[in-house]
Amino acid sequence: MKLRKLLPCFLALAFLIVSCSSSSDDDEDIQLSQEQLDAITGTWILSSYEVSPAQDVNNDGTASENLVLELPCLTGTIILREDFTWSITSVSPNVTEITGGNFGISCDPASAAAGDWLFLNNEVVLSVTGNADVYELSGDQLTLNGGMDLPGFRRIVYQKQ
């Protein structure tokens, strides 16, 4: 009978120990040095929106895999803050498959989003409302890999300012 009365106390104590242990482990995972924060936080500008096959959207006679060179209206700015929040304003391409592998590409209206970010294994994870985009950090570039042919995208690259 005493065991039945003590069992809930032991279980509660065990749960408390495990949850405290997990919490401190989680805190250690997200702690970054000031050097890492300085490298990650700041303003990032869209430098490349890569697609395949190459397109000549601006009809200058030269097809490019980088739609930023073809459509000056494509823009993007990501701001990563030290409080682990982020915001983005961007104009993305609107890709419509026409026929026979041909595509109509124009600019969507400007949009904005915001959320929280974290850094794990050289990846910056931008999350908002249950969704996440995982950008690879390499020097002063953040790269989102799509790996798809049109109407999808290969890579989106942001350059640190």
Side-chain angles (χ1 to χ4, degrees), residues 38-112:
D38 291 344
I40 298 168
T41 57
T43 302
W44 298 80
I45 302 295
L46 178 68
S47 62
S48 179
Y49 193 106
E50 298 174 22
V51 297
S52 181
Q55 301 292 302
D56 184 15
V57 180
N58 61 5
N59 296 315
D60 67 355
T62 304
S64 176
E65 291 183 344
N66 183 357
L67 290 183
V68 171
L69 300 175
E70 295 291 324
L71 286 171
C73 57
L74 289 183
T75 61
T77 302
I78 297 174
I79 299 174
L80 299 175
R81 297 179 195 81
E82 285 193 19
D83 66 356
F84 297 95
T85 62
W86 64 271
S87 61
I88 187 172
T89 55
S90 66
V91 173
S92 299
N94 180 350
V95 180
T96 305
E97 190 165 7
I98 301 171
T99 57
N102 294 316
F103 298 90
I105 303 174
S106 60
C107 288
D108 274 341
S111 64

Side-chain angles (χ1 to χ4, degrees), residues 38-41 43-47 136-143 157-161:
D38 291 344
I40 298 168
T41 57
T43 302
W44 298 80
I45 302 295
L46 178 68
S47 62
E136 180 183 325
L137 176 65
S138 179
D140 61 353
Q141 290 187 336
L142 282 177
T143 303
V157 180
Y158 285 83
Q159 191 78 33
K160 178 117 189 244
Q161 299 303 296

Side-chain angles (χ1 to χ4, degrees), residues 1-14:
M1 190 68 150
K2 288 183 183 180
L3 183 58
R4 279 189 176 182
K5 290 181 180 178
L6 292 177
L7 186 59
C9 292
F10 285 125
L11 289 174
L13 181 59

